[in-house]
Amino acid sequence: MPGKGPEPNAVFDYIIVGAGSAGCVLANRLTESGRYRVLLLEAGGADRNPWIHIPIGYGKLFKDRRVNWMYETEPEPELNHRRIFQPRGKVLGGSSSINGLIYLRGQRQDWDLWRQLGNPGWSFDDVLPYFKKSENHVRGADAFHGTGGGLAVSYPHRHTLCDAFIRAGVETGLTQREEFNAGEQEGVGYFPMTMRNGRRCSAAVAFLRPAMKRPNLTIVTNALARKILFEGKRAVGVQFGHAGQITEARAAREVILSGGAINSPQLLQLSGWGPADLLQQHGIPVIEDAPSVGGNLQDHLQVRMVFKCRQKITVNDEYHHLGRRVAAGLDYFLYRRGALTTAAGYATAFFKTDPRYETPDCEVHFIPFSTDKMGDALHRFSGFTASVCQLRPESRGQIRIKSADPTMPPEIRVNYLSTETDRRVNVAALRILRRIVHAPAMADYLLTEYEPGTDIEGDDDLLAYCRARGTTIYHPVGTCAMGPHSGAVVSPELKLHGAESLRVVDGSIMPRLISANTNASIIMIGEKAADMILNEARTR
C-alpha cells in the first residue's frame, strides 16, 4: 500500500507522475522483473471510498473534491459563455476510478490516421496486441480480445428499456451489434464495461494493486508534483509537495508524465517547457520555448435528451421508492446486480449524420435514469436519458497555466462548437436520435420528450439547445500531441521533443481524438509505452 515519501534526493530508475489509467499500467509493467526501482507519485489519495468500487457510484463522486480535481473551463464562447465542469480523477486509478466504466477502443480508421500523420507503430493492427494484453474479457480470447490481463471487461445485465432502444435502432436502419471493439462500430447494442462481478475494475484495481507489494515500487499519495528537475535539457527528477514539505526525487533513467491532458501540459509549463511568452509572464525561467505544449486540446461534447417513461422501470423509480431502493441495495450486495451496476452508458448507437461519411461520426449514450445534470439528484418522474456525442470534432482549444503556483488550476479553453461542421453535426445527430427514440419499439415506454421538447424543432432552435445544454462527456486529449515534427510535443516513442529522459504517457499524446470513450485507449497507451521503455532499457 502507499507509504510515506522517499528520503530527500532518493534515486529511482523511473519516476512516474500520476497514478491514473496509464500510470498504473506503467507502475505494474516497469516493476514486474524486479530489476528497476520505480517511484509513483499521485496527487490524490488511496482508492478507499466504497463508491469508487460500486459502478453507479460515479454519480456520488462527480463533485467530491476528495477524489476529483473539479476543474472547469473558462467561459465557452459558443456555449452561451458557460463554464463547463471538467471532472478528473484525483485518486489512485485517476479518472478510471470515477468514470462511467465504458470500454471502447474506437475505429480502425482512427488509429490508421495516427500512423498516416507520421507515427509508425500506432496503426490499428499495431496497437491491437496491447489492447488484448491488458484485457480479461468475459467472452474469452479471440482475434480481438484477451483473457490474461488485469482489466476485466464484461457486459451489463439486459434492461427492458435498453432492449427497446436497440430494437428501435434496428427499426430505423441500424444493425444490432454485439462487438464494438473490433475496429468497426456502426450499429446499436450494449456497451462493454470495465466491471468484474458487479464491481468497478479501475486501473488501480487491475494493475496497481497486484504490484503494490513489490519492494521495487514506491507509491506516494497526496504528492503534488511542482516541477520537473532539469540539468540542461535532461530530466533528472521531480520536485513535489508531500506532508507539508517540498521534496525532490531523482530519476536515473527517465521521468514519465502520466497526469493526463490537463495536468501533464500544466506541469511541463510550470517546469519551464512551454510557450516562452506564457512562462515569462509568470516569471518561470524558459528551458525550451515549446508553443505546442498545451495546444491541440480536443474533447467530446455531449448533448443530452431526457424523456419521461410510461412505465415505472427506471432507476429513478427505484431511487425514489424506499422499498425498491432497499431491494436494489440488497440485490447488489447479495448478487452484485441491479441498478447499482448501472454505468454512465448502458446501450449505445453509432451512426453517420451524413451518408457520405466512411464511418460513424456520432455515438449515443442511453441510460435508464434521468437528471438535470450529472451529479444532481435523479428526477422524481420515471425518466431515461439519451445523449449524442460528435466523435471527431474539429474544434481545438488549449491548456495554459494561470500562475507559477502549482496548486492553481490552469486555464482550460476547449472552444466547443467553434466550427460550422461541429454545429451542423450536433444538430443532425439530435434529429437522428429523436427518430430512434420515437420509433415503434419505444411506443410502450415513451411518454413524452421532456428535454428539449418536441416544440424545439428547427435547426436554429436545436443549435440554441446545444449551446444552452451541451457539456463535456469527459474525454479531453491532445495537449502533448504525438508526431515526428517540431509542431508536435512528443515523438512516436512518446519522448519529449528536444529533451532527454522525459516521456509523456497518457491521453495528452493523442494527435487526434478517437471515435470512442478514451479510457481503454489510455490504458493501451500505457501498455505500449511500457514495452517501448523496457525494450530500450535492455539495450543500455
Side-chain angles (χ1 to χ4, degrees):
M1 291 299 291
K4 64 179 183 178
E7 295 296 320
N9 295 308
V11 179
F12 299 84
D13 291 297
Y14 299 98
I15 298 177
I16 304 166
V17 181
S21 297
C24 288
V25 175
L26 289 167
N28 183 308
R29 301 305 186 194
L30 297 183
T31 58
E32 273 181 315
S33 69
R35 184 178 304 171
Y36 306 113
R37 297 157 298 164
V38 175
L39 172 63
L40 177 63
L41 300 174
E42 168 54 44
D47 57 339
R48 296 192 183 97
N49 187 321
W51 285 111
I52 289 175
H53 305 288
I54 299 171
I56 206 171
Y58 59 83
K60 296 283 187 180
L61 307 173
F62 203 72
K63 296 182 179 178
D64 187 338
R65 290 188 180 275
R66 294 172 297 177
V67 297
N68 192 330
W69 285 99
M70 300 278 290
Y71 290 131
E72 63 177 13
T73 70
E74 299 301 305
E76 284 287 334
E78 297 292 331
L79 298 185
N80 296 345
H81 297 278
R82 292 182 293 124
R83 293 181 182 270
I84 303 302
F85 183 54
Q86 287 275 349
R88 307 307 299 159
K90 187 181 181 183
V91 63
L92 292 181
S95 294
S96 76
S97 289
I98 69 169
N99 71 3
L101 292 87
I102 293 169
Y103 180 88
L104 287 177
R105 299 172 178 173
Q107 299 164 5
R108 173 180 289 275
Q109 289 84 349
D110 297 330
W111 303 99
D112 290 350
L113 175 61
W114 287 22
R115 179 187 59 190
Q116 294 301 103
L117 291 171
N119 298 295
W122 289 93
S123 71
F124 182 77
D125 289 338
D126 292 323
V127 301
L128 179 58
Y130 294 103
F131 278 117
K132 293 171 66 176
K133 180 179 181 180
S134 67
E135 191 180 36
N136 187 12
H137 200 281
V138 69
R139 293 178 178 170
D142 59 24
F144 295 99
H145 295 291
T147 55
L151 186 69
V153 178
S154 61
Y155 291 83
H157 297 287
R158 292 177 60 173
H159 190 284
T160 301
L161 262 178
C162 296
D163 284 347
F165 175 78
I166 292 167
R167 293 195 303 272
V170 172
E171 288 176 345
T172 56
L174 294 173
T175 300
Q176 184 168 346
R177 181 176 287 278
E178 300 295 327
E179 175 59 79
F180 288 97
N181 284 316
E184 297 181 1
Q185 294 174 316
E186 190 165 13
V188 60
Y190 280 97
F191 274 120
M193 303 180 298
T194 50
M195 188 184 304
R196 177 188 289 118
N197 298 326
R199 289 174 62 84
R200 175 194 294 275
C201 187
S202 68
V205 170
F207 302 103
L208 194 56
R209 196 160 291 169
M212 280 182 170
K213 293 183 179 179
R214 294 174 186 165
N216 57 327
L217 175 61
T218 300
I219 304 171
V220 184
T221 53
N222 301 301
L224 178 66
R226 299 176 61 85
K227 66 179 179 180
I228 305 156
L229 303 173
F230 286 96
E231 290 180 358
K233 294 187 178 181
R234 178 183 177 86
V236 296
V238 177
Q239 182 189 89
F240 60 97
H242 177 67
Q245 303 293 321
I246 295 178
T247 305
E248 294 183 355
R250 298 279 164 164
R253 290 178 176 268
E254 292 187 19
V255 173
I256 306 168
L257 304 190
S258 295
I262 296 174
N263 293 63
S264 284
Q266 178 193 25
L267 184 58
L268 284 170
Q269 292 172 7
L270 289 169
S271 306
W273 204 284
D277 57 344
L278 174 67
L279 307 186
Q280 291 163 352
Q281 176 185 337
H282 297 296
I284 297 172
V286 178
I287 297 174
E288 178 77 3
D289 180 11
S292 297
V293 172
N296 192 49
L297 174 60
Q298 301 159 58
D299 189 18
H300 284 142
L301 182 72
Q302 172 185 219
V303 184
R304 298 164 60 246
M305 303 181 78
V306 176
F307 304 88
K308 290 186 176 182
C309 186
R310 289 185 181 277
Q311 302 183 29
K312 293 187 178 298
I313 56 174
T314 71
V315 177
N316 297 20
D317 301 302
E318 298 198 24
Y319 181 78
H320 289 297
H321 186 282
L322 178 60
R324 293 182 65 177
R325 188 161 73 243
V326 170
L330 289 173
D331 199 25
Y332 179 76
F333 288 107
L334 291 176
Y335 305 108
R336 293 287 189 264
R337 67 187 186 192
L340 273 69
T341 65
T342 304
Y346 211 121
T348 185
F350 286 86
F351 55 74
K352 303 170 186 175
T353 61
D354 187 321
R356 295 173 295 180
Y357 292 157
E358 180 185 1
T359 62
D361 64 324
C362 182
E363 174 186 2
V364 171
H365 292 73
F366 183 92
I367 320 171
F369 66 77
S370 67
T371 179
D372 285 333
K373 59 183 178 180
M374 284 296 181
D376 285 5
L378 301 184
H379 290 136
R380 292 227 162 239
F381 56 77
S382 302
F384 59 93
T385 304
S387 66
V388 296
C389 163
Q390 180 193 7
L391 291 172
R392 295 180 293 278
E394 293 180 349
S395 301
R396 297 292 184 269
Q398 62 183 10
I399 303 291
R400 292 168 66 92
I401 56 171
K402 292 182 179 180
S403 165
D405 180 356
T407 66
M408 179 173 285
E411 173 189 286
I412 304 169
R413 296 185 185 275
V414 186
N415 296 322
Y416 298 105
L417 295 182
S418 61
T419 76
E420 179 58 35
T421 295
D422 292 0
R423 296 189 285 270
R424 175 182 54 78
V425 168
N426 275 275
V427 169
L430 287 175
R431 291 193 182 284
I432 294 170
L433 175 58
R434 179 178 271 170
R435 188 161 68 245
I436 295 172
V437 176
H438 286 80
M442 292 291 291
D444 289 341
Y445 307 100
L446 176 62
L447 179 60
T448 186
E449 183 180 305
Y450 176 76
E451 191 177 22
T454 53
D455 56 323
I456 305 298
E457 176 58 33
D459 286 356
D460 290 344
D461 290 339
L462 286 171
L463 179 57
Y465 178 72
C466 293
R467 296 188 194 281
R469 297 292 282 145
T471 188
T472 179
I473 205 163
Y474 329 116
H475 302 154
V477 304
T479 50
C480 296
M482 172 174 60
H485 46 77
S486 59
V489 177
V490 299
S491 71
E493 295 73 39
L494 309 188
K495 296 179 179 181
L496 186 68
H497 283 308
E500 296 180 60
S501 304
L502 182 58
R503 295 190 210 228
V504 183
V505 181
D506 56 33
S508 72
I509 66 93
M510 293 187 177
R512 296 287 189 276
L513 182 55
I514 60 167
S515 304
N517 307 66
T518 53
N519 187 56
S521 295
I522 294 168
I523 288 171
M524 180 280 295
I525 289 168
E527 291 279 20
K528 182 171 172 60
D531 208 21
M532 291 190 289
I533 292 166
L534 291 171
N535 286 338
E536 185 171 316
R538 293 186 191 105
T539 66
R540 289 186 183 179

